[in-house]
Amino acid sequence: MANSRFETLLQKFVKDTISPAEVHELGDLMSAAGSNEELDNFLASAYADRSLAVHEDFDGEKVREKILARLQFGEPQSALPPANDRRTFRLRWLAAACLAGLLGLAAWFWALQKNTGREGIDPRQVAMVASPQTNKAILTLADGSDVYLDSVNNGQLAIQGRVKLLKLGNGRIAYEYSSDTTDIVHTARAGMNTLTNPRGSEVIEMKLPDSTRVWLNVGSSLSYPVAFEHKERTVILKGEAYFEVAPDKTKPFRVKITDNTEIAVLGTHFNVNAYEDEPALMATLLEGAIQFKKDNKRQLLQPGQQVRSGKDGTIRLVPDADIQAVMAWKRGFFHFDKTDLPTIMRQMERWYDVTVEFQGKVTDMRFSGEISRTHDAFQVLKILEASGAHFKIEGKKIIVLPE
């Protein structure tokens, strides 16, 4: 690639040293004749460099389209009432992240800068709030004993009735029926177990004895029988989980959320968000069919649909749910789509195990985009700050400042 102003700006963009004025300049250059070829040459050269550890097929056209699209400023959403002065900002780190993925480098972020006259978070005053590095889940067995999964080795953890409990690699646990009769602990019933995944922990995956797979998000718990010995397979969820239910027409699978709310399935893939601090319970179907029940109300879901149950008792069907957004937590991302700041901060509270305090009027600003949950809280807040929000960090507390 020729030594040019365009190359210089691209390098600054990748290194996250580019200024707001230079971003405008880069956008103009990318729209000019010849810049497409220069960009292709730059990316192809980087792709060919084995030291950069690129693992994807290079498609210059797609990459160029993504970069051009994400170099644009976020615009106010016309669908939102102008009288409320609601603003939606598209977090423009994705252009740099696109380059980062191709070059095999770390993620960079650059978002819409605002001339607010505020300095933002002072890094010298910040105790780094890192993303979860281990799984801190706690397994409470039928006899009341606790197993802390981050402090035990892989292998067999317990035998309950005819079921063995195993810790596998990569933060997974599994229940398996024992084929060795010498292993069987003769008890009338194996009883209930509870898996608790606290705030500040990694997502944990579990396989139940019927081969149903469950991913449990942070700040959540799941109670379940060690062996499904009755006509129904019933589990109790608090928080959020994704289920891939093993089919068994003779034993329907039920997820109880409250005394009067449950989801009934035979074999399907679905996500349930039932955090108590969220304004609505949401169940989203990816595959198969489920029936949502609350009191005497019923709602049958088809793949791609979502049901939302408000605290006021209302039930609403969303016919075309945003599956990417729903499953972002399982993919390892925060996903925002015109998301308000209180909703974002609730997610951060659970993931980073912090407390959040709002000072003054809560901004009506809204955000769109994705951020990897591998980044520490300070990095995420800096992205939000660059888009116009303001924060202060005091230890494990995040203070949201007024505009």
Side-chain angles (χ1 to χ4, degrees), residues 36-107:
N36 286 351
E37 181 180 354
E38 285 189 275
L39 178 59
D40 279 348
N41 290 339
F42 174 78
L43 293 173
S45 174
Y47 182 80
D49 186 348
R50 292 180 178 273
S51 66
L52 296 176
V54 178
H55 301 295
E56 302 178 30
D57 292 333
F58 173 65
D59 187 330
E61 180 65 27
K62 289 183 179 179
V63 173
R64 184 168 57 251
E65 289 176 359
K66 290 182 180 179
I67 294 176
L68 285 169
R70 288 168 177 83
L71 272 174
Q72 300 176 12
F73 284 91
E75 296 293 339
Q77 298 294 316
S78 58
L80 295 174
N84 294 340
D85 191 29
R86 292 186 174 181
R87 292 155 288 169
T88 300
F89 294 93
R90 182 159 298 281
L91 306 177
R92 296 189 299 120
W93 70 85
L94 286 180
C98 175
L99 280 172
L102 284 170
L103 303 183
L105 305 175

Side-chain angles (χ1 to χ4, degrees), residues 133-201:
Q133 303 298 312
T134 61
N135 192 287
K136 302 177 183 177
I138 304 167
L139 188 59
T140 302
L141 304 180
D143 62 4
S145 61
D146 290 332
V147 178
Y148 295 85
L149 296 178
D150 62 348
S151 61
V152 295
N153 296 325
N154 293 345
Q156 183 171 300
L157 300 181
I159 300 176
Q160 301 175 93
R162 299 185 297 114
V163 178
K164 294 190 296 185
L165 170 60
L166 307 173
K167 180 184 178 183
L168 309 177
N170 300 322
R172 296 174 297 145
I173 62 173
Y175 289 83
E176 295 182 357
Y177 283 104
S178 176
S179 59
D180 188 347
T181 57
T182 61
D183 283 343
I184 296 176
V185 176
H186 295 283
T187 56
R189 295 187 179 213
M192 297 285 289
N193 282 188
T194 297
L195 181 63
T196 302
N197 200 23
R199 301 190 334 176
S201 173

Side-chain angles (χ1 to χ4, degrees), residues 57 67 78 114 123 137 157 266 296 309 348 351 393 402:
D57 292 333
I67 294 176
S78 58
K114 291 187 68 182
L157 300 181
L266 290 176
N296 59 346
S309 175
M348 292 190 66
W351 185 244
I393 298 180

Side-chain angles (χ1 to χ4, degrees), residues 206-261:
M206 172 175 58
K207 188 181 78 170
L208 294 172
D210 66 339
S211 294
T212 290
R213 298 174 69 189
V214 183
W215 285 260
L216 195 62
N217 204 351
V218 294
S220 306
S221 69
L222 187 74
S223 297
Y224 48 90
V226 175
F228 294 111
E229 298 173 335
H230 301 290
K231 294 181 179 180
E232 296 179 348
R233 296 171 288 169
T234 302
V235 301
I236 303 170
L237 173 67
K238 294 181 179 179
E240 184 169 25
Y242 171 68
F243 296 86
E244 292 185 354
V245 177
D248 186 345
K249 293 183 179 180
T250 66
K251 291 185 177 181
F253 193 96
R254 300 186 184 277
V255 181
K256 287 189 65 67
I257 300 161
T258 64
D259 288 342
N260 64 343
T261 306

Side-chain angles (χ1 to χ4, degrees), residues 259-262 291-299 313-315:
D259 288 342
N260 64 343
T261 306
E262 69 175 37
Q291 185 181 62
F292 180 84
K293 301 179 181 180
K294 184 171 185 178
D295 295 323
N296 59 346
K297 300 176 182 178
R298 304 286 188 272
Q299 179 64 61
T314 58
I315 295 178

Side-chain angles (χ1 to χ4, degrees), residues 315-334:
I315 295 178
R316 181 167 69 92
L317 180 68
V318 179
D320 188 15
D322 187 344
I323 300 299
Q324 284 291 100
V326 171
M327 299 308 301
W329 68 271
K330 185 174 176 289
R331 295 187 289 112
F333 287 91
F334 296 110

